[in-house]
């Protein structure tokens, strides 16, 4: 099996106008171990040195780091570096077809049936069959990609789905949230996946360090296919270019770094992300 190997660098830097006296933070910056993803090495560096720190798992099984800095500090820098190997994901097209309605029904608790006609009218018939689940989720992915414009700055991290529908534009987080809303609206389970996507520089140009970004996509579940990951931003299924960091119900469950501070009175934030394939030479600072 072909293996893609990457080095990932993710730095978040907060500079405070007035030193912060206390800081408590939660970081989702540990790539997941998955059947197709192996974490070869991982390090999380925090400046200034922490007074409290421990690693744990959240309710979704994501690796999280809790830490605190007690004492004045004008700067907080959190730097993650990891080496990961990405294999091929299972191909959902190789599974037997399953209707999306069947997926929904399989996840409901069995209840008493009274045999009334209305209950029968939710079942397929010869002239009105159920559609295939995989075809339905792929079609949804394609519609979002075709009908919505990728426009950085059009939304914020707190933008809700109804606003995205009105704007008809957004970024990867918005398109993932929209796809989740559509699937869950039909009773189908789906999760928000955060991580990184390997991008390629323009032909003839060197890869620049620190210019990549976090990415988001969707995992949709079928009892026959398992979790199938789809990217509505790029209209594709997640493959060996995708590095999984964490997953949850939505972005709020997987924010890379969030916390509470005392003091500060104004701050500026900078984020730099690099996804570098193994063996690639010539990457230069931006």
């Amino acid at each position: 099996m072909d293996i893609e190997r990457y080095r990932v660098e993710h730095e978040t830097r907060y500079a405070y106008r007035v030193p912060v006296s206390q800081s408590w933070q939660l970081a989702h910056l540990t790539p997941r171990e998955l059947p197709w993803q192996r974490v070869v090495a991982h390090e999380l560096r925090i400046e200034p040195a922490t007074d409290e720190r421990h690693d744990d798992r959240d309710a979704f099984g994501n690796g999280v780091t809790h830490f605190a800095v007690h004492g004045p500090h004008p700067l907080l820098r959190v730097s993650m570096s990891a080496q990961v190997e990405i294999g091929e994901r299972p191909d959902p097209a190789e599974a037997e077809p399953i209707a999306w309605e069947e997926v929904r029904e399989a996840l409901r608790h069995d209840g008493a049936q009274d045999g009334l006609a209305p209950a029968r009218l939710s079942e397929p018939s010869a002239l009105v069959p159920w559609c295939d689940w995989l075809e339905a989720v792929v079609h949804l992915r394609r519609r979002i990609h075709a009908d919505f414009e990728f426009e950085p700055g059009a939304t914020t991290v707190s933008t809700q789905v109804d606003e995205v529908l009105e704007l008809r534009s957004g970024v990867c987080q918005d398109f993932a949230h929209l796809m989740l809303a559509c699937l869950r609206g039909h009773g189908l389970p789906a999760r928000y996946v955060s991580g990184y996507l390997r991008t390629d520089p323009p032909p003839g140009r060197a890869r620049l360090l620190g210019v990549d970004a976090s990415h988001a996509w969707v995992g949709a579940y079928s009892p026959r296919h398992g979790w199938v990951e789809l990217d509505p931003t790029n209209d594709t299924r997640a493959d060996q270019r995708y590095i999984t960091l964490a997953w949850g119900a939505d972005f709020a469950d997987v924010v890379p770094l969030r916390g509470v501070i005392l003091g500060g009175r104004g701050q500026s934030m900078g984020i730099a992300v690099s996804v570098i394939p193994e063996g690639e030479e010539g990457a230069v600072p931006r």
Side-chain angles (χ1 to χ4, degrees):
M1 180 178 67
D2 292 335
I3 298 292
E4 296 286 346
R5 296 177 176 84
Y6 300 100
R7 186 174 85 249
V8 180
E9 306 282 350
H10 185 157
E11 179 180 286
T12 303
R13 180 180 181 273
Y14 286 97
Y16 306 106
R17 189 174 60 182
V18 176
V20 167
S21 59
Q22 301 275 346
S23 179
W24 296 267
Q25 302 289 332
L26 172 65
H28 282 93
L29 286 168
T30 304
R32 294 190 70 116
E33 290 280 355
L34 300 167
W36 59 83
Q37 177 171 291
R38 175 173 173 257
V39 182
V40 179
H42 173 261
E43 183 181 9
L44 192 63
R45 301 179 301 278
I46 303 169
E47 301 175 41
T50 60
D51 297 290
E52 301 175 33
R53 174 174 174 171
H54 71 275
D55 298 320
D56 204 350
R57 296 279 174 186
D58 65 12
F60 299 100
N62 302 310
V64 294
T65 300
H66 303 262
F67 67 89
V69 178
H70 305 311
H73 52 283
L75 179 74
L76 176 65
R77 179 183 287 112
V78 180
S79 303
M80 183 273 281
S81 61
Q83 293 180 345
V84 295
E85 295 181 345
I86 310 294
E88 296 179 357
R89 288 169 167 79
D91 185 353
E94 295 178 356
E96 290 293 323
I98 183 172
W100 69 262
E101 293 92 341
E102 188 178 348
V103 173
R104 181 186 62 196
E105 295 302 320
L107 296 166
R108 289 181 174 176
H109 294 292
D110 291 334
Q113 299 295 325
D114 57 14
L116 294 177
R120 301 284 300 177
L121 294 178
S122 66
E123 298 180 357
S125 65
L127 297 179
V128 189
W130 283 346
C131 62
D132 176 60
W133 172 84
L134 184 59
E135 290 181 2
V137 295
V138 169
H139 179 71
L140 173 60
R141 182 196 75 197
R142 290 174 176 164
R143 284 294 304 272
I144 293 174
H145 176 77
D147 295 349
F148 291 78
E149 181 179 357
F150 184 84
E151 185 178 351
T155 57
T156 70
V157 294
S158 60
T159 297
Q160 297 185 353
V161 170
D162 56 349
E163 298 175 73
V164 178
L165 286 170
E166 182 177 353
L167 293 170
R168 312 298 289 183
S169 62
V171 294
C172 60
Q173 172 184 309
D174 305 304
F175 302 155
H177 282 162
L178 177 59
M179 188 168 182
L180 291 174
C182 293
L183 292 171
R184 292 174 185 167
H186 286 84
L188 298 172
R191 64 191 181 195
Y192 183 100
V193 187
S194 74
Y196 308 100
L197 170 62
R198 185 203 73 205
T199 58
D200 295 317
R205 297 189 181 182
R207 183 180 299 277
L208 298 179
L209 298 177
V211 299
D212 292 316
S214 298
H215 194 51
W217 59 99
V218 169
Y221 180 80
S222 150
R224 193 164 296 166
H225 298 81
W227 288 99
V228 178
E229 297 191 346
L230 307 114
D231 180 1
T233 303
N234 294 294
D235 190 20
T236 186
R237 185 163 56 89
D239 53 27
Q240 289 177 279
R241 298 171 298 162
Y242 290 74
I243 301 167
T244 303
L245 193 61
W247 56 54
D250 56 28
F251 173 72
D253 287 329
V254 297
V255 177
L257 186 65
R258 70 190 309 173
V260 176
I261 61 173
L262 294 180
R265 281 195 289 167
Q267 67 182 29
S268 61
M269 182 182 73
I271 297 175
V273 175
S274 301
V275 179
I276 306 167
E278 182 185 67
E280 180 174 300
E281 303 295 336
V284 297
R286 59 176 173 175

